[in-house]
Amino acid sequence: MAAAPASSNLQVVGGGAKAAAQESPCDDCAIRETSVCEVLDPPQLARMRAIATILRLEPGATLFQESDPAEHLCNVVEGAVKLYKLLPDGRRQITGFLFPGDFLGVALNKSYAYSAEAMTNVRLCRFSRNKLEGLLTELPNLERRLLEVAGNELVAAQDQMLLLGRKTARERLASFLLMVSRRAAARGRPASPVDLPMSRSDIGDYLGLTTETVSRTFTQLKKQGTIGLPSQSKVDILKRAELEEIAEAG
């Protein structure tokens, strides 16, 4: 894992049993029923807690970089994280946005295939890959849940390929807004307004569009009454059926 910067953007609070005594990663956990831990009974959860470490990142802090040794896996507890890859010419392709309840760090090889950066203040539960793999042989329900997470990542990658390859700017943005809305609803949060902690530039890097095109498309959808823009970071979905029709046109 990349070393924490001198400004101490990355804070480690305890580890194992000591962390549980100082600040338990499980007590009053807001994502307990939507994270990988949802399949664990209380004794199994206690074993997960024993290998957990709490991390806090400030906006812009790097959790890990592409090609770093894949030594840890993390649960997002609070905040939002963006995943990205750097292309050979220096351009950036954002491959995903993660929110509370999402799991990251699953790697098929010994190094991470992407970089992860905090978009907001972020709190994570971090697990040593070696220790977690040791638990999987004893907790097959957790192993199945992690395989499900890996499968969901594959589906998300396929969906993004469709966005980038077949859809217009309007269709891409409509699909993106619906995706974020559905993910929020699946985790018990309001489906509208949609929270967008990422910048217009980040959205463009995810959708394969320029920042100007993203801003112009937001304005077009607002003018036609499909969405409202109460702030830079929130979008009201005013006509969901119409937005779905736009998204599915591609």
Side-chain angles (χ1 to χ4, degrees):
M1 175 163 177
S7 61
S8 213
N9 281 340
L10 189 153
Q11 178 186 4
V12 180
V13 182
K18 185 177 180 181
Q22 292 181 347
E23 184 178 355
S24 170
C26 300
D27 291 349
D28 302 320
C29 179
I31 64 161
R32 172 73 174 86
E33 301 303 322
T34 59
S35 71
V36 295
C37 299
E38 67 176 334
V39 299
L40 303 178
D41 60 30
Q44 293 172 335
L45 186 63
R47 299 184 67 184
M48 280 284 284
R49 179 169 53 199
I51 64 170
T53 301
I54 298 174
L55 295 183
R56 283 188 176 79
L57 283 75
E58 295 176 357
T62 297
L63 177 59
F64 54 76
Q65 294 181 336
E66 183 179 351
S67 79
D68 280 349
E71 298 174 347
H72 299 94
L73 299 94
C74 300
N75 239 351
V76 181
V77 180
E78 297 173 1
V81 175
K82 62 185 173 187
L83 310 179
Y84 65 91
K85 294 179 70 72
L86 292 177
L87 304 179
D89 60 5
R91 288 179 298 162
R92 180 186 66 171
Q93 176 65 56
I94 291 182
T95 58
F97 299 106
L98 302 183
F99 303 98
D102 287 329
F103 199 74
L104 74 155
V106 175
L108 297 178
N109 300 310
K110 294 184 178 181
S111 59
Y112 295 114
Y114 50 80
S115 299
E117 178 183 310
M119 295 187 292
T120 64
N121 287 316
V122 171
R123 179 178 179 235
L124 308 108
C125 271
R126 187 182 71 172
F127 307 95
S128 160
R129 180 177 180 176
N130 289 337
K131 292 180 179 179
L132 187 58
E133 287 178 348
L135 276 183
L136 295 183
T137 58
E138 304 172 42
L139 304 177
N141 52 339
L142 180 60
E143 183 176 28
R144 287 192 296 270
R145 184 70 178 90
L146 289 177
L147 286 173
E148 181 182 334
V149 168
N152 289 340
E153 288 185 359
L154 178 59
V155 171
Q158 292 171 335
D159 288 343
Q160 190 184 22
M161 288 174 63
L162 175 62
L163 279 178
L164 298 179
R166 295 292 182 180
K167 296 196 172 189
T168 66
R170 270 176 97 242
E171 292 162 359
R172 294 182 198 186
L173 186 57
S175 298
F176 173 73
L177 293 175
L178 289 169
M179 175 195 72
V180 178
S181 174
R182 289 165 183 156
R183 288 176 63 181
R187 286 166 170 76
R189 300 195 302 274
S192 179
V194 175
D195 287 320
L196 297 180
M198 67 290 292
S199 67
R200 297 293 191 259
S201 176
D202 285 341
I203 295 173
D205 285 346
Y206 179 73
L207 297 178
L209 302 170
T210 65
T211 304
E212 293 75 15
T213 299
V214 171
S215 297
R216 183 169 60 249
T217 308
F218 266 115
T219 300
Q220 291 172 351
L221 292 174
K222 179 183 178 182
K223 285 182 177 179
Q224 69 186 45
T226 306
I227 64 171
L229 297 173
S231 72
Q232 184 78 3
S233 61
K234 288 188 181 294
V235 175
D236 284 320
I237 298 180
L238 304 177
K239 299 178 180 179
R240 180 171 290 270
E242 187 172 303
L243 196 64
E244 290 174 344
E245 183 177 342
I246 294 170
E248 294 168 3

